[in-house]
Amino acid sequence: GENVEQHPSTLSVQEGDSAVIKCTYSDSASNYFPWYKQELGKRPQLIIDIRSNVGEKKDQRIAVTLNKTAKHFSLHITETQPEDSAVYFCAASIDSGAGSYQLTFGKGTKLSVIP
Amino acid sequence: DVKVTQSSRYLVKRTGEKVFLECVQDMDHENMFWYRQDPGLGLRLIYFSYDVKMKEKGDIPEGYSVSREKKERFSLILESASTNQTSMYLCASSFEGPTGTNEKLFFGSGTQLSVL
């Protein structure tokens, strides 16, 4: 089955700096890669996702890049703010259009933004 | 706004008890999921269902079963609770994309289960 490795497990940055979280996956057939953010005591929420037909996707201060050849994808947060402090999870799935919905999550990265 | 509701926020049970965790969603989603979340281990899929009365094993189904008798409700059952099942349990739902593609997961608030 799919295996997703996520690094680093913890990350501290100064407010205003950029943060990068990296994930690698094992199954070359995976083609859907979402990122979820979980604030302390709250439920995970999708912040951005990418499918393998594109190499990069941006949404304001958040971007995700995908390198299919190397089987890795990354989350980039620019101009970090204290409200970006949370645990971030990457995930991978085979989006076959045949009812395959099994997302495999990474172990999470705890991001702390220091004011 | 999509609502995924889990019946209990905190639950304390004894070893050997049968435990039911209930999840209800109000958006007519086809797909429903049960995950457990443990520190340092991330989110691990226990079971999922893509239709009424349909169920599929996830990565860690041992010691669990599920029931989906109605589209909006997905129940997780611990037949005989054990201490290693102490965890945060998260239910999620999603609709099926126009070509059967993966779509956004909506999570419930979670149930923190303690088995003593």
Side-chain angles (χ1 to χ4, degrees):
Chain A
E2 176 65 279
N3 182 47
V4 177
E5 299 282 342
Q6 183 172 347
H7 298 282
S9 56
T10 59
L11 179 61
S12 292
V13 298
Q14 291 292 137
E15 183 176 356
D17 287 351
S18 295
V20 180
I21 302 170
K22 298 181 179 180
C23 289
T24 60
Y25 60 99
S26 61
D27 192 335
S28 57
S30 288
N31 56 7
Y32 174 65
F33 307 94
W35 287 87
Y36 284 81
K37 174 184 180 183
Q38 186 177 28
E39 296 176 24
L40 188 63
K42 297 192 175 180
R43 67 194 77 191
Q45 293 192 306
L46 180 74
I47 54 171
I48 195 167
D49 58 9
I50 191 169
R51 290 192 157 91
S52 58
N53 55 347
V54 298
E56 184 175 1
K57 186 176 179 181
K58 280 186 178 179
D59 182 4
Q60 299 183 340
R61 297 186 295 106
I62 292 171
V64 57
T65 58
L66 171 64
N67 183 325
K68 285 182 63 179
T69 304
K71 291 191 283 186
H72 69 70
F73 57 111
S74 300
L75 178 72
H76 303 254
I77 306 174
T78 58
E79 300 172 19
T80 52
Q81 300 168 5
E83 53 264 39
D84 294 328
S85 295
V87 178
Y88 292 81
F89 294 98
C90 64
S93 175
I94 298 171
D95 191 25
S96 67
S100 177
Y101 309 109
Q102 189 162 341
L103 275 177
T104 299
F105 282 87
K107 291 182 168 58
T109 296
K110 183 177 180 182
L111 173 65
S112 300
V113 179
I114 304 161
Chain B
D1 199 21
V2 175
K3 189 177 274 188
V4 180
T5 303
Q6 294 184 229
S7 53
S8 304
R9 187 74 177 93
Y10 299 96
L11 209 53
V12 179
K13 295 292 181 180
R14 296 218 173 267
T15 303
E17 278 193 79
K18 189 168 186 176
V19 182
F20 293 87
L21 302 183
E22 305 287 346
C23 176
V24 177
Q25 50 94 4
D26 66 357
M27 280 302 292
D28 203 35
H29 284 172
E30 293 85 2
N31 309 319
M32 296 189 76
F33 308 81
W34 276 106
Y35 289 88
R36 65 177 281 176
Q37 183 174 17
D38 301 286
L41 295 179
L43 296 159
R44 294 180 292 166
L45 182 64
I46 305 170
Y47 268 96
F48 66 102
S49 168
Y50 53 88
D51 202 351
V52 176
K53 296 192 187 294
M54 303 302 291
K55 59 184 179 184
E56 294 282 347
K57 292 180 180 179
D59 297 318
I60 50 165
E62 296 79 19
Y64 304 94
S65 62
V66 290
S67 172
R68 192 162 181 206
E69 295 296 318
K70 293 185 178 181
K71 190 174 185 180
E72 67 271 18
R73 186 181 296 269
F74 192 36
S75 302
L76 180 69
I77 303 153
L78 288 67
E79 293 289 341
S80 178
S82 63
T83 54
N84 63 11
Q85 292 179 309
T86 291
S87 185
M88 170 67 79
Y89 290 88
L90 287 164
C91 174
S93 71
S94 71
F95 70 90
E96 181 167 328
T99 54
T101 52
N102 276 288
E103 299 294 337
K104 174 179 176 180
L105 288 179
F106 292 86
F107 283 90
S109 298
T111 296
Q112 179 62 52
L113 173 66
S114 297
V115 182
L116 306 177

